[in-house]
Amino acid sequence: MIKVVIVDDEKMIREGLKAIMPWQEMGYEVVATAANGREGVEKFSEHRPDLMIVDIRMPGMDGLELIESVRALGGSTRFLILSGYADFEYAKRAIKLQTDGYLLKPVDEDELQQHLMKLRDILEAEASERLRAAAPKDRDQLFRELLEGTVELSKTDQDELNWTNGRILLLRLSGVSLESGELQAAVKERLVEAVEQEGRGFVFWHQQELVLALRDTYELDQAQQLLQQAIQDSAMDWVASAGRVVKGPCAWPASRADAQALLKEAFRYAGRQIITDGVEPVVPAWLPEEGDVPDNAAALADKVYYAVDAGNTEAAQRMLEGVGWSWYLTGTSEQELKSRLVQATHSIIHRLVQHRPELTREPGDYAPELLHAYRMSHFTDVIACVMQALETVVSRLDQGSSDQQIKRLIDFIHRNYNQQLRLEMLAEVFNYNSAYLGKLFKTKTGEYFNTYLDKVRIEHAKTMLAEGMKVYQVADRVGYLNADYFHTKFKKYVGISPTGYRKL
């Protein structure tokens, strides 16, 4: 039986889960329940369960802190997350902790049962693998030791392998679903059939990669085609790297070292290909100047927001790609880069929902699309994930004629008058030539852009001054970096100084 511990601060949930599921029929046994995170850790130490079903929000130690504590104690316990909140930050942390499911309360019985059935198959397969690994040294174990350079072949082993020249190819599979273990096993089976049964080499797992030890008669373009055929219907992402051709299995470590070095840089390359020294990494068509690279997610969101609000997804993608790649090239880690891009995109969507009435969905509804980016193995795929979320939003924004565009520009000014707006910048995000946009704006409004912006700012300033705010505070609040300049503009449009107006 697969041992289960249920952790939830609501007794009704704990007892309900025990009662509604046919645990024994599915091969499970609920060995304990816990009312909070600390008690959950105690129950883990006592029972060492195979699966823990954990509520996220609990007083004291929450569910994610519980998971971190259990991970620190060791073991291979699996986790299913329960939450009454479609909470972006919690979901993001749950992904990073490599949980096996994220279910919203009230729990759908069928959905939970599906998760449990899939988990059962995976846990049983893992148990079988552990038993096999505990058996006396087998062929794959010999291959792993050859790859590590920790064994010398006997004359008999050398004759049995019948190996002359060849190379090591490392294949990394990345699944995005609960069935990943099953899919990986299926991929290996196909590769074994295609490679070993035809005498072209050997296929075996080592650490996190599937290793293909290929004879030198097997060309890399053939290997590329082989991998595409073996993985094409699994919906899994993959990337592979190939080391140099070496003589004999005892030289495998040298070829493996080449492949490992290339695989470490896989994030820079496009997926579903074999990386060699001759393959060029992906580089965006545009990179910002050094001084134009924002240093955090919030600054990137400010930079991209205007383009998205204007419906110009091409400009938004260009900025996300260019800035993201600049961060990566200057040493930002892969995980930190993903976090920055996702956080920036989430911030943009949140601001759009706040300011655009035609957007009715809550920001959290987009969380699954954005969180998918954390699972991606390549920079281009991360960008594709965040852009998919943005384009979903942009598609719901009102577009239209030049009159509608000018109306949108005016709305944009009224929402963002306190920012450092420039016609040239807005022309880019609204996809217009700046000179043409300036003329169009003057024709439609009767005012030049800068004059219109000044008047909007001054009207807001009058309200703030009437409320008793100090002049320098008002200047900053309405978008003027210099209080003296604000004083000049205010007197020009109102006829008296800000101080005089404040005293009225």
Side-chain angles (χ1 to χ4, degrees):
M1 287 286 188
I2 299 169
K3 294 189 293 183
V4 182
V5 169
I6 299 172
V7 186
D8 196 298
D9 61 329
E10 297 181 58
K11 183 177 181 180
M12 184 179 297
I13 298 295
R14 297 195 303 271
E15 298 303 321
L17 286 177
K18 283 182 63 177
I20 64 173
M21 302 305 298
W23 295 103
Q24 290 193 341
E25 293 178 21
M26 294 188 295
Y28 288 87
E29 177 187 5
V30 178
V31 295
T33 62
N36 55 59
R38 297 191 185 283
E39 188 179 338
V41 175
E42 294 174 2
K43 296 298 183 182
F44 166 80
S45 299
E46 181 181 349
H47 296 281
R48 289 283 169 169
D50 304 292
L51 170 65
M52 296 186 76
I53 300 176
V54 179
D55 183 26
I56 280 187
R57 295 212 179 191
M58 295 183 291
M61 176 186 286
D62 67 32
L64 299 183
E65 291 170 332
L66 180 153
I67 294 173
E68 290 172 341
S69 298
V70 169
R71 296 273 196 230
L73 293 174
S76 57
T77 298
R78 299 273 184 162
F79 295 90
L80 285 179
I81 294 294
L82 302 179
S83 175
Y85 305 83
D87 188 286
F88 177 79
E89 287 301 322
Y90 277 113
K92 184 182 74 173
R93 286 175 59 197
I95 290 286
K96 287 186 175 181
L97 289 171
Q98 296 181 327
T99 55
D100 293 282
Y102 187 89
L103 304 174
L104 292 178
K105 295 179 181 178
V107 177
D108 182 278
E109 294 179 33
D110 291 337
E111 184 180 5
L112 176 57
Q113 186 164 356
Q114 288 175 9
H115 275 274
L116 292 171
M117 296 296 286
K118 292 172 183 176
L119 261 177
R120 182 195 64 187
D121 294 341
I122 292 171
L123 289 167
E124 290 177 349
E126 288 177 348
S128 298
E129 177 63 21
R130 285 193 295 271
L131 288 174
R132 192 196 64 77
K137 182 183 296 184
D138 58 9
R139 189 208 68 163
D140 284 7
Q141 180 63 25
L142 173 63
F143 287 165
R144 285 190 282 268
E145 291 180 358
L146 281 170
L147 206 63
E148 293 283 358
T150 59
V151 68
E152 292 185 8
L153 286 178
S154 66
K155 181 66 167 62
T156 302
D157 287 335
Q158 292 184 35
D159 291 342
E160 286 184 0
L161 287 177
N162 189 26
W163 181 283
T164 52
N165 296 339
R167 72 196 325 155
I168 295 299
L169 187 147
L170 300 179
L171 172 63
R172 178 181 294 166
L173 299 167
S174 54
V176 296
S177 66
L178 208 59
E179 301 93 335
S180 296
E182 299 170 9
L183 294 174
Q184 290 176 356
V187 169
K188 181 190 176 185
E189 184 177 340
R190 293 172 192 166
L191 291 175
V192 167
E193 182 178 348
V195 173
E196 296 193 6
Q197 293 183 9
E198 296 186 21
R200 295 174 171 179
F202 308 103
V203 180
F204 56 97
W205 284 106
H206 183 61
Q207 297 177 354
Q208 302 301 314
E209 283 87 41
L210 196 56
V211 181
L212 282 73
L214 300 176
R215 300 186 188 280
D216 64 349
T217 55
Y218 205 79
E219 299 294 334
L220 287 181
D221 58 348
Q222 293 176 293
Q224 173 81 25
Q225 185 176 4
L226 168 69
L227 294 178
Q228 288 173 339
Q229 292 173 345
I231 308 171
Q232 64 181 352
D233 61 347
S234 69
M236 299 182 74
D237 189 26
W238 64 273
V239 65
S241 59
R244 75 189 82 168
V245 174
V246 293
K247 288 188 175 182
C250 291
W252 282 1
S255 186
R256 177 204 180 199
D258 294 342
Q260 280 183 311
L262 291 169
L263 203 58
K264 285 181 179 178
E265 297 296 319
F267 188 66
R268 301 177 59 193
Y269 293 82
R272 295 181 173 263
Q273 67 170 330
I274 299 174
I275 304 171
T276 66
D277 287 332
V279 176
E280 293 295 326
V282 174
V283 178
W286 172 83
L287 289 173
E289 297 293 332
E290 185 174 346
D292 293 333
V293 180
D295 58 3
N296 56 53
L300 176 60
D302 288 340
K303 192 176 184 69
V304 180
Y305 169 72
Y306 302 127
V308 179
D309 193 22
N312 190 348
T313 55
E314 291 183 6
Q317 180 167 351
R318 184 170 63 90
M319 284 186 272
L320 284 168
E321 283 183 331
V323 171
W325 200 248
S326 296
W327 281 338
Y328 187 72
L329 292 177
T330 53
T332 303
S333 70
E334 178 181 334
Q335 286 303 314
E336 174 63 17
L337 175 62
K338 291 176 181 178
S339 181
R340 289 187 186 184
L341 290 171
V342 170
Q343 291 288 358
T345 308
H346 184 255
S347 175
I348 292 164
I349 293 173
H350 185 70
R351 288 166 68 178
L352 286 170
V353 171
Q354 286 183 316
H355 294 130
R356 300 298 292 270
E358 65 266 40
L359 298 176
T360 58
R361 291 202 298 173
E362 291 295 324
D365 289 345
Y366 300 98
E369 300 168 29
L370 291 178
L371 290 169
H372 195 52
Y374 283 101
R375 300 186 187 274
M376 294 296 98
S377 302
H378 309 284
F379 178 79
T380 51
D381 294 333
V382 174
I383 293 295
C385 282
V386 297
M387 284 307 302
Q388 181 179 355
L390 284 178
E391 287 170 358
T392 300
V393 176
V394 172
S395 68
R396 304 181 67 214
L397 298 177
D398 291 333
Q399 307 296 329
S401 66
S402 60
D403 284 346
Q404 291 172 311
Q405 287 288 63
I406 293 300
K407 182 180 182 301
R408 293 185 65 235
L409 177 54
I410 290 171
D411 290 342
F412 186 93
I413 293 170
H414 281 273
R415 290 195 305 272
N416 301 283
Y417 65 88
N418 58 344
Q419 304 297 315
Q420 299 306 302
L421 303 182
R422 294 181 296 106
L423 182 63
E424 293 77 15
M425 177 193 72
L426 295 177
E428 180 181 0
V429 300
F430 277 84
N431 208 22
Y432 278 95
N433 173 276
S434 61
Y436 176 75
L437 182 61
K439 291 178 181 179
L440 189 61
F441 190 88
K442 176 68 164 58
T443 300
K444 301 295 183 183
T445 66
E447 302 276 10
Y448 290 107
F449 171 79
N450 288 332
T451 301
Y452 189 92
L453 176 60
D454 282 334
K455 288 184 176 181
V456 171
R457 286 173 168 172
I458 296 303
E459 285 304 310
H460 283 277
K462 287 163 65 177
T463 300
M464 295 176 190
L465 289 167
E467 292 172 350
M469 289 181 62
K470 295 181 179 180
V471 173
Y472 74 89
Q473 293 175 321
V474 174
D476 181 67
R477 288 282 186 90
V478 299
Y480 291 106
L481 300 178
N482 184 290
D484 290 336
Y485 185 66
F486 166 65
H487 184 281
T488 301
K489 288 288 185 180
F490 192 93
K491 192 169 184 180
K492 174 182 176 181
Y493 291 110
V494 182
I496 61 175
S497 68
T499 303
Y501 186 87
R502 188 166 175 263
K503 293 179 180 178
L504 290 177

